Amino acid sequence: MQNINNVTEFIFFGLTQNEQIEKICFVLFLFLYLVIVLGNLLIIVTIFFSSRLNSPMYFFLSYLSFVDICYSSVTAPKMIAGFLVKKKTISFIGCMTQLFGVHFFGCTESFILTVMAYDRYIAICKPLHYTTIMTRRVCGQLVAASWVGGLMHSLLETIATNQLPFCGPNEIDHYFCDVHPLVRLACTDTYIIGVIVVSNSGVIALSSFITLVSSYIAILVSLRSRSSEGRLKALSTCASHVTVVILFFGPCTFMYIRPSSNFSEDKTVAVLYTVITPMLNPLIYTLRNEEMKKAMKKLWSQKAISRRRRRM
């Protein structure tokens, strides 16, 4: 394939082209992005400074919050700024960089969510061996493997897309650079790249989702022999994670398990996993987690006391 590239920039259509709606969207998505950053930072700070939140579950949660901040930051600021201008452009290099970031952090998040499901499986199904299996070293290796897996996936997607010839048009009916919208602009047969996208992104999303479902089926089976109190405690621990998994993997599977096609719903679905899910994660993990709420209250009460002492 000869890489003929006459395109130096791409033009986004964005979520909407109605100026009045764009003003509303600017305020709304700016607020949502601030919630994402501040909410996830609050979780990271609370876990880092709290001596009570030292279990592997919170170790993984801190990395999930960090990835959520990075993931939303790849697309949200550009989208928010686009609401204020009529022509929404991005350079070719910027587009490829955004494509890399979306798949890097998105894939890393899917792996971390899978690791968190494995952690819950060991904690509930093998409680006597939990501390010996989920050591600090093993937890670090699992997180590192998640980052490496995300890196390998995003490199393959970006390199494959970058090899496509773009000779015009350069208008993307989306609000960020992703594989499917870019493939539709290539001036060549895109069957091979379509197969790569489905086999790479689709298989990762589907296999991770199947692994997660299998873990929770095993957990539910093991809970049959527990007391009602033990079942409720275990289920409440897993409920937050299951909610996040459904919100994240549902839209991702819809987007990447199918061949490239121009669905008008794609942009709406993409908002769910690039903005809504990272925004809901802090709320889900704090509102349903008593330990987290107690740790936050203790942390901020200590800071309030220290401020009073400084004033005195």
Side-chain angles (χ1 to χ4, degrees), residues 5 25 68 101 113 128 149 281:
N5 191 356
C25 286
D68 274 336
L113 286 170
L128 299 178
N281 281 357

Side-chain angles (χ1 to χ4, degrees), residues 138-280:
V138 170
C139 292
Q141 290 173 342
L142 290 172
V143 169
S146 299
W147 285 105
V148 172
L151 176 64
M152 298 302 294
H153 161 76
S154 58
L155 281 175
L156 179 60
E157 296 286 280
T158 306
I159 291 173
T161 307
N162 190 54
Q163 295 304 310
L164 291 172
F166 296 98
C167 47
N170 65 336
E171 295 178 332
I172 301 176
D173 188 13
H174 216 298
Y175 64 91
F176 68 90
C177 289
D178 202 1
V179 175
H180 285 315
L182 288 171
V183 165
R184 290 194 288 269
L185 296 181
C187 49
T188 186
D189 180 21
T190 58
Y191 175 77
I192 296 177
I193 185 67
V195 171
I196 292 174
V197 170
V198 172
S199 61
N200 190 10
S201 300
V203 169
I204 287 175
L206 187 60
S207 59
S208 297
F209 185 71
I210 291 173
T211 303
L212 288 160
V213 171
S214 301
S215 299
Y216 283 105
I217 289 175
I219 289 173
L220 290 174
V221 171
S222 69
L223 289 177
R224 291 188 302 177
S225 58
R226 304 282 183 90
S227 63
S228 58
E229 184 180 349
R231 284 197 297 268
L232 287 174
K233 185 177 180 180
L235 289 173
S236 64
T237 305
C238 299
S240 301
H241 190 246
V242 172
T243 305
V244 171
V245 165
I246 293 172
L247 289 172
F248 182 77
F249 279 97
C252 282
T253 304
F254 170 80
M255 288 291 294
Y256 297 110
I257 200 64
R258 59 180 172 79
S260 179
S261 56
N262 190 12
F263 285 175
S264 59
E265 298 86 358
D266 282 3
K267 290 186 286 187
T268 305
V269 172
V271 169
L272 292 176
Y273 62 83
T274 59
V275 177
I276 303 301
T277 301
M279 184 269 295
L280 290 177

Side-chain angles (χ1 to χ4, degrees), residues 280-298:
L280 290 177
N281 281 357
L283 299 175
I284 292 170
Y285 280 110
T286 53
L287 294 177
R288 296 185 59 87
N289 191 310
E290 289 298 326
E291 284 187 332
M292 180 67 72
K293 286 191 286 188
K294 289 178 182 178
M296 285 182 178
K297 289 178 182 178
K298 184 178 179 181

